[in-house]
Amino acid sequence: MAKTPDVIVIGAGAAGLAAAAELARAGLFVTILEARDRIGARMFTQRDPVCQAPIELGAEFIHGLPPEIWEPLQARDIRITAVTGEPWCFRQGRLCGCDFFSQVDDILEQMDANAPDESFLHFLKRGCDPESNPKKRTASERALAYVSGFNAADPDRVGVHWLVQGMRAEEQIEGDRAFRSKNGYEDLLEIFRQQLAQAGVCIQTDTVVDAVRWMKGHTEVSTRKARESSKFKTGRVLVAVPLGVLQAATEDEGAVQFTPSLPREKLEALKKLEMGKVMRVTFRFRHRFWDTISAPNDKRTTLSGMSFLFSDDDWYPTWWTTMPEKLPIITGWAPFRCAERLSGKSRSFVIDRGLQTLAALLGVGLDELTQWLDAAYFHDWQSDPFSRGAYSYGGVGADGAQQALASPVENTLFFAGEATDTTGHNGTVHGAIASGRRAAKEILHGFH
């Protein structure tokens, strides 16, 4: 007869894996239930067979110097590379060098967490009249693009207080710097696999959790695997699913029904938090054709050192290369409204739109670009029932919402995931890991 787990963890993303490792190291018997056929959730690394390079369908960059990621990678001597290169912009129909972030920083620094909360769009409109000042108009447009792009957020819904907390948290870890691990986030996942195997954690993939019936000290978790239904009993459950799944209607695929329902404070918190939307597509071409493209105003300068390309395109406004690695790979980023236009569309539509955008921005013929394309990769996170979006952000008036969502219920239900991080690192892998460790401490404390 199978041993009853001390703790069941729902979700094998960064938060669930980190929590399970901590709990098992402390001597508890832990079972992870994961709906997908793999662990990692929104960390999803594939490997390009030609370049032998990691292709990230989800999280890609290490933002700053978070110890949650750096310490395990460095302990195993895994190479971490800083993102380098030159940012370019496409403005008024032409390519040019750009100082994108200095303009944005000037505006973001004016946000005040002590003033009443408001949406970022309202803050922008209230703070300046861009019509009377073309420079301010450009800066405002850049700031809007940054908030919607970096945070995958609706500028009319994201709260200034949440943005300020995130900026302060980033400053503590040099979050304006970006890095990549040698094999992408697969490196971190492999470390988790080893830790969980050594600690005897049971991982059940392809196992969809439909419902959690609970009372203080007792839970019954109902699952589906293929056509078979099962029930798991335990004293404590850690819910480590994305915000979009917690917000899903009961009848939606992937939703978890709680009986009795979650406390009112949690349901109110769920209304104040938002799930950002992103589509991204990564292309591998036969060669780095942008190496020979010259800047319009300086024929001696090419795009060979291009790291990022920012534009106002309605489909894929931001692109980046693999710099400092010079591979024929480039990624298009479609946040917020762009993602809404692309999500749910066919594979050919997503790819064709990316190629059309790239051809227009770089002044290359679409037919040529199509001929040079060797491979394309993407994953529709909005249409994925087990994520229902990219990553979370706080709406107007969301102060305290992460704390409310994170708080344990009756020493029986516990919560982790980047949306429950209370330190300003929502939407990041390191924020998710930190939340998992926090939840593990809460669970261990309840055993004493």
Side-chain angles (χ1 to χ4, degrees):
M1 186 172 174
K3 181 182 175 185
T4 300
D6 296 309
V7 181
I8 287 176
V9 176
I10 304 175
L17 298 174
E22 294 285 321
L23 293 169
R25 271 197 292 266
L28 300 186
F29 178 50
V30 181
T31 295
I32 300 177
L33 304 178
E34 168 55 47
R36 295 184 173 88
D37 61 358
R38 59 179 181 83
I39 68 169
R42 288 170 282 170
M43 294 182 289
F44 191 7
T45 309
Q46 295 192 345
R47 195 153 195 88
D48 182 80
V50 173
C51 294
Q52 288 300 308
I55 303 289
E56 299 288 18
L57 303 186
E60 176 170 347
F61 299 106
I62 302 169
H63 298 283
L65 307 172
E68 293 87 357
I69 296 175
W70 279 80
E71 287 177 1
L73 293 178
Q74 288 183 317
R76 288 159 182 81
D77 291 325
I78 294 170
R79 178 166 57 87
I80 303 172
T81 305
V83 175
T84 59
E86 304 151 1
W88 286 81
C89 283
F90 185 86
R91 289 181 186 161
Q92 298 173 336
R94 58 187 291 166
L95 288 164
C96 57
C98 62
D99 190 7
F100 182 89
F101 291 105
S102 65
Q103 288 181 316
V104 171
D105 287 343
D106 289 343
I107 289 179
L108 297 184
E109 285 169 6
Q110 297 172 35
M111 295 189 298
D112 184 2
N114 295 316
D117 202 9
E118 60 185 332
S119 75
F120 183 70
L121 186 61
H122 188 266
F123 156 78
L124 268 186
K125 289 180 176 177
R126 181 179 56 78
C128 62
D129 178 17
E131 296 304 319
S132 62
N133 187 326
K135 282 191 174 181
K136 275 193 173 182
R137 182 169 63 247
T138 299
S140 294
E141 289 168 355
R142 293 289 151 214
L144 278 173
Y146 173 78
V147 166
S148 62
F150 188 77
N151 299 294
D154 180 346
D156 199 23
R157 298 180 73 87
V158 64
V160 163
H161 286 189
W162 180 84
L163 287 168
V164 171
Q165 186 189 24
M167 285 171 54
R168 289 174 178 167
E170 286 173 26
E171 288 170 3
Q172 297 297 315
I173 59 167
E174 300 181 41
D176 57 334
R177 301 171 66 191
F179 303 85
R180 294 185 183 95
S181 184
K182 180 184 178 183
N183 298 298
Y185 271 103
E186 181 60 30
D187 284 329
L188 193 62
L189 279 183
E190 185 54 35
I191 292 170
F192 276 128
R193 284 192 194 94
Q194 293 171 11
Q195 291 176 345
L196 297 170
Q198 289 167 2
V201 173
C202 174
I203 304 175
Q204 297 204 18
T205 54
D206 291 307
T207 304
V208 180
V209 173
D210 289 320
V212 177
R213 298 182 65 87
W214 66 279
M215 58 185 291
K216 186 174 182 179
H218 302 277
T219 68
E220 183 181 79
V221 181
S222 301
T223 68
R224 282 179 289 123
K225 185 165 186 170
R227 295 183 179 178
E228 291 187 11
S229 297
S230 300
K231 286 182 169 36
F232 294 81
K233 293 187 178 182
T234 184
R236 292 167 176 83
V237 168
L238 172 57
V239 181
V241 299
L243 175 69
V245 174
L246 286 176
Q247 292 173 327
T250 304
E251 64 273 12
D252 290 343
E253 171 68 12
V256 181
Q257 181 175 5
F258 293 89
T259 306
S261 66
L262 296 176
R264 181 178 57 81
E265 295 78 14
K266 283 205 189 300
L267 300 180
E268 290 298 315
L270 288 172
K271 294 176 184 176
K272 295 175 182 176
L273 300 174
E274 305 278 347
M275 196 64 168
K277 300 172 183 176
V278 167
M279 289 284 285
R280 53 179 286 167
V281 64
T282 299
F283 295 141
R284 173 173 53 78
F285 293 99
R286 292 178 189 171
H287 63 284
R288 281 172 51 96
F289 63 87
W290 55 92
D291 279 353
T292 58
I293 296 175
S294 300
N297 58 348
D298 184 359
K299 296 302 179 185
R300 295 170 300 175
T301 303
T302 72
L303 303 186
S304 62
M306 180 175 69
S307 55
F308 284 84
L309 172 60
F310 302 103
S311 76
D312 298 322
D313 186 73
D314 287 334
W315 295 95
Y316 292 92
T318 301
W319 294 81
W320 61 77
T321 67
T322 56
M323 286 291 288
E325 300 285 335
K326 290 204 167 187
L327 301 175
I329 293 172
I330 191 166
T331 296
W333 181 256
F336 180 39
R337 291 269 184 257
C338 308
E340 291 176 348
R341 296 185 192 102
L342 291 163
S343 182
K345 297 293 196 295
S346 68
R347 175 179 171 81
S348 61
F349 185 92
V350 172
I351 292 170
D352 290 348
R353 276 294 173 186
L355 290 172
Q356 289 170 30
T357 293
L358 199 56
L361 296 180
L362 297 183
V364 178
L366 181 59
D367 289 343
E368 283 181 292
L369 210 56
T370 304
Q371 289 172 6
W372 294 337
L373 181 67
D374 268 352
Y377 304 85
F378 78 92
H379 183 82
D380 187 345
W381 295 101
Q382 285 66 235
S383 300
D384 183 330
F386 307 120
S387 61
R388 297 185 171 272
Y391 43 84
S392 71
Y393 64 92
V396 178
D399 295 357
Q402 282 90 3
Q403 288 88 338
L405 187 59
S407 62
V409 179
E410 299 278 359
N411 193 28
T412 304
L413 300 180
F414 299 82
F415 295 82
E418 50 86 10
T420 72
D421 176 74
T422 59
T423 63
H425 294 293
N426 305 127
T428 66
V429 174
H430 57 270
I433 293 172
S435 77
R437 291 177 177 169
R438 180 259 311 149
K441 285 180 182 176
E442 292 167 348
I443 292 170
L444 292 170
H445 181 74
F447 273 92
H448 299 300

